[in-house]
């Protein structure tokens, strides 16, 4: 019995020695120490690592003194400016017309809308500047200030053409706010350091820095002479200020360039409305509730020879001054005219009641005229035709016999506006009057911006009365007078 126990113990000893030898051969002496290490919660073994951290910056502040001062100054600037910037949240319901292929309304649906934007406080009483497109059609407006307070707001006035709106905070009487000062945008220089502040994507007040990339940029017929900046501007920044290194407002951020229209984002090209234009609109709205602009009373077209007059407003300043259809406008108030945009901008900025000199070319002869600028008024709505005499639009458009297309995005960026004739029926009323390639700009002196407007205006007019179509062919302005579509014998 004892001999059997001795043999078992001998076998255990031999097995233990053999196992230990194999373990040491495979894991080394470090393997032995791991047998005594503590396990963590996951059941694995860990031995603490030694790590010596640095306690010194690579450079002393004295070695980067200029950068340190710049960093401190930018921080100081933002601390002074950001409290005057607000976030704007809007909500409402938009009515959408359901339009058929002829531009006729076949129903209306109501769609809930929500929006976000930015604004800047410009008076101690709580007046806020923002973009008109931020609050357009949105009856519910909520303002959130930098310190987290929320207010309702009312609309004091709007300037859709400049894309500016003035709001007033619904605050307790006597509450004071911290406004920003306007800078002089006429002194802004290419390459100047600027900062854009706003509420991108609803994240709250954010700051981006950059420079003035270009001045006098135009992105549409109404948005002209804008500042271009590479400071990051994203959806939600609209209405926020572009400030200089003194914290003065030199522009109101309004648009970005993005090749993806469905999901616009920063591409390094943003646009801001110059502060001088914004300030003029603000003062006019505070004083009269609406913007005040100069008016000359011309309908024009760009041609290779210059800006040509197509038509004049009856009794307007231009007609009173002696300007006639067909004249080329060469000079306005001492400045040579190169484009319609330049002329319109100059007229709108002219003080109401001021007399200006114009030089026009009429059939090769230069003439110097003088006009008194009046206040621009909203265009009167075209009279509605007698519905008892109208016919189906398809019938009218078939009788006229003209087909058109919209301008491409590239063509519009080059300054084209209106629609392009793609074909004319040889049996229609437009035969021998219009031809493929003509650029139609108006129907009965009402501008057309797309083919739906053209077909709608043409169908409403030609079925009951003679119709005038203004167009440009090979750079020359012309007009086609169409008779009313004859009524069929019943």
């Amino acid at each position: 019995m004892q001999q059997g126990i001795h043999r078992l113990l001998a076998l255990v000893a031999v097995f233990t020695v053999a196992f230990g030898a194999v373990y040491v051969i495979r894991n080394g002496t470090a393997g032995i120490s791991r047998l005594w290490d503590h396990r963590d919660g996951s059941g694995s073994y860990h031995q603490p690592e030694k790590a010596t951290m640095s306690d010194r910056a690579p450079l002393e502040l004295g070695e980067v003194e200029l950068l340190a001062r710049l960093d401190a100054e930018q921080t100081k600037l933002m601390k002074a400016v950001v409290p005057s910037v607000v976030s704007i949240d809007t909500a409402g319901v938009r009515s959408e017309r359901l339009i058929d292929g002829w531009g006729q309304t076949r129903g209306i649906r109501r769609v809930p809308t929500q929006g976000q934007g930015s604004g800047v406080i410009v008076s101690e009483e709580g007046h806020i500047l923002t973009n008109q497109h931020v609050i357009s059609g949105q009856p519910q407006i909520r303002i959130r200030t930098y310190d987290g307070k929320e207010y309702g707001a009312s609309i004091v006035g709007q300037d859709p053409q400049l894309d500016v709106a003035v709001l007033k905070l619904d605050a307790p009487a006597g509450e004071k706010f911290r406004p920003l000062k306007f800078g002089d945008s006429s002194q802004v220089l290419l390459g100047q350091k600027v900062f854009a502040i706003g509420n991108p994507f609803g994240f709250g007040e954010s700051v981006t820095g950059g420079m003035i990339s270009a001045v006098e940029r135009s992105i549409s017929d109404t948005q002209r002479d804008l500042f271009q900046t590479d400071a990051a501007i994203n959806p939600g920044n609209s209405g926020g200020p572009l400030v200089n290194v003194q914290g003065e407002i030199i522009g109101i951020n309004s648009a970005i360039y993005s090749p993806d229209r469905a999901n616009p984002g920063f591409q390094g090209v943003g646009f801001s409305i110059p502060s001088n234009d914004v300030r003029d609109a603000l003062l006019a709205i505070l004083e009269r509730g609406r913007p005040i602009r100069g008016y000359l009373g011309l309908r024009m077209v760009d041609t290779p020879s210059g800006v040509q007059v197509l038509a004049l407003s009856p009794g307007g300043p231009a007609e009173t001054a002696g300007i006639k259809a067909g004249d080329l406008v060469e000079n306005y108030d001492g400045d040579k005219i190169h484009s319609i945009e330049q002329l319109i901008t100059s007229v709108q900025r002219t003080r109401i009641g001021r007399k200006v000199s114009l030089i026009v070319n009429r059939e090769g002869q230069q003439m110097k005229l003088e006009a008194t600028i009046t206040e621009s008024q909203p265009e009167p709505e075209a009279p509605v035709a007698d519905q008892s005499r109208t016919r189906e639009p398809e019938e009218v458009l078939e009788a006229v016999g003209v087909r058109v297309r919209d301008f491409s995005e590239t063509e519009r960026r080059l300054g084209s506006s209106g629609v392009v004739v793609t074909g004319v029926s040889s049996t229609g009323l437009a035969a021998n009057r219009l031809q493929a390639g003509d650029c139609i700009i108006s129907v009965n002196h009402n501008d057309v911006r797309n083919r739906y407007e053209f077909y709608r205006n043409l169908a409403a007019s030609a079925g009951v009365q003679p119709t005038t179509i203004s167009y440009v062919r090979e750079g020359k302005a012309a007009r086609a007078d169409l008779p009313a579509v004859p009524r069929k014998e019943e």
Side-chain angles (χ1 to χ4, degrees):
M1 184 70 175
Q2 291 181 348
Q3 186 177 5
I5 294 174
H6 290 160
R7 287 179 179 177
L8 177 62
L9 293 174
L11 288 174
V12 171
V14 170
F15 176 79
T16 301
V17 171
F19 176 81
V22 172
Y23 184 84
V24 170
I25 291 172
R26 298 183 66 177
N27 296 279
T29 56
I32 299 176
S33 64
R34 283 202 296 268
L35 293 174
W36 307 104
D37 288 342
H38 295 287
R39 295 173 180 265
D40 60 22
S42 63
S44 62
Y45 295 97
H46 174 74
Q47 180 176 355
E49 298 285 343
K50 181 180 180 181
T52 304
M53 314 292 285
S54 174
D55 59 358
R56 293 185 58 187
L59 295 173
E60 297 295 333
L61 284 176
E63 298 177 272
V64 286
E65 184 178 353
L66 181 59
L67 289 177
R69 288 174 57 191
L70 179 61
D71 186 52
E73 288 177 359
Q74 286 192 170
T75 301
K76 184 178 181 180
L77 172 61
M78 293 305 104
K79 185 177 181 180
V81 170
V82 169
S84 298
V85 181
V86 301
S87 300
I88 301 176
D89 293 297
T90 63
V93 177
R94 182 181 70 250
S95 295
E96 280 189 355
R97 293 191 301 168
L98 302 177
I99 302 176
D100 62 19
W102 299 105
Q104 300 299 305
T105 300
R106 297 303 183 190
I108 295 177
R109 64 180 178 185
R110 296 176 66 80
V111 181
T113 60
Q114 289 185 325
Q116 294 173 329
S118 307
V120 56
I121 300 172
V122 292
S123 78
E124 293 183 358
E125 291 76 18
H127 292 98
I128 290 174
L129 266 174
T130 187
N131 286 143
Q132 191 265 348
H133 75 257
V134 169
I135 54 88
S136 178
Q138 302 288 80
Q140 300 177 35
I141 302 174
R142 296 294 298 174
I143 307 294
R144 187 175 66 256
T145 57
Y146 177 71
D147 56 6
K149 293 182 179 179
E150 291 195 2
Y151 300 85
S154 55
I155 300 174
V156 178
Q158 304 179 56
D159 185 348
Q161 185 167 319
L162 191 61
D163 193 16
V164 165
V166 180
L167 310 179
K168 178 70 178 299
L169 291 173
D170 298 334
E175 184 173 358
K176 296 293 184 180
F177 296 90
R178 184 174 174 180
L180 284 190
K181 175 183 177 293
F182 283 97
D184 184 355
S185 58
S186 68
Q187 302 300 312
V188 171
L189 301 175
L190 190 66
Q192 180 175 327
K193 183 73 173 176
V194 292
F195 299 89
I197 309 170
N199 176 32
F201 303 106
F203 287 144
E205 283 67 31
S206 300
V207 179
T208 57
M211 68 177 181
I212 296 294
S213 306
V215 296
E216 298 184 352
R217 283 285 195 241
S218 297
I219 59 175
S220 72
D221 290 342
T222 57
Q223 290 183 292
R224 300 181 297 273
D225 296 340
L226 303 179
F227 291 142
Q228 179 183 325
T229 178
D230 64 351
I233 296 175
N234 286 291
N237 274 107
S238 291
L242 189 72
V243 302
N244 59 18
V245 294
Q246 290 183 267
E248 297 174 323
I249 303 170
I250 60 168
I252 294 295
N253 302 319
S254 65
I256 60 174
Y257 170 76
S258 177
D260 186 352
R261 296 296 182 89
N263 300 287
F266 175 63
Q267 299 290 322
V269 181
F271 301 97
S272 300
I273 309 167
S275 58
N276 288 1
D277 294 340
V278 174
R279 185 175 183 276
D280 289 344
L282 168 66
L283 294 178
I285 289 173
L286 291 178
E287 181 180 352
R288 301 193 186 185
R290 68 180 191 279
I292 308 296
R293 288 193 177 86
Y295 176 72
L296 191 56
L298 293 176
R299 193 176 298 275
M300 302 162 288
V301 63
D302 279 322
T303 73
S305 303
V307 176
Q308 186 174 28
V309 178
L310 286 179
L312 299 95
S313 298
E319 185 181 70
T320 303
I323 296 177
K324 295 183 178 181
D327 288 351
L328 290 172
V329 181
E330 297 182 342
N331 191 286
Y332 176 86
D333 202 29
D335 294 328
K336 184 174 177 58
I337 297 301
H338 304 286
S339 66
I340 290 178
E341 288 185 359
Q342 177 197 4
L343 179 56
I344 292 175
T345 300
S346 298
V347 171
Q348 290 181 344
R349 290 176 175 173
T350 303
R351 180 173 51 82
I352 308 303
R354 183 167 174 267
K355 290 185 178 181
V356 297
S357 62
L358 294 119
I359 297 178
V360 301
N361 188 308
R362 182 177 299 163
E363 298 178 351
Q365 298 293 320
Q366 279 193 339
M367 302 179 63
K368 187 172 182 179
L369 305 172
E370 190 176 74
T372 302
I373 300 302
T374 61
E375 181 182 345
S376 176
Q377 299 293 334
E379 289 283 344
E381 295 185 2
V384 179
D386 182 357
Q387 296 299 314
S388 65
R389 299 176 58 200
T390 62
R391 283 164 284 175
E392 288 298 319
E394 294 86 349
E395 176 189 344
V396 175
L397 296 175
E398 182 179 358
V400 174
V402 60
R403 299 183 301 278
V404 301
R405 68 169 175 83
D406 292 331
F407 277 108
S408 67
E409 186 64 29
T410 300
E411 290 171 325
R412 291 190 182 280
R413 288 178 183 172
L414 294 174
S416 301
S417 60
V419 294
V420 181
V421 177
T422 59
V424 180
S425 171
S426 59
T427 59
L429 296 178
N432 302 320
R433 292 183 172 92
L434 295 171
Q435 65 183 40
D438 289 346
C439 170
I440 295 176
I441 57 178
S442 68
V443 175
N444 286 342
H445 305 299
N446 293 312
D447 294 342
V448 293
R449 294 168 293 183
N450 53 56
R451 62 191 183 95
Y452 295 113
E453 287 187 357
F454 170 74
Y455 286 136
R456 183 181 66 242
N457 293 344
L458 182 61
S461 173
V464 296
Q465 64 185 5
T467 301
T468 297
I469 296 178
S470 297
Y471 64 95
V472 176
R473 178 182 298 169
E474 297 179 352
K476 295 183 178 180
R479 55 184 282 180
D481 295 315
L482 307 180
V485 175
R487 299 188 65 82
K488 296 179 180 180
E489 296 294 335
E490 298 183 1

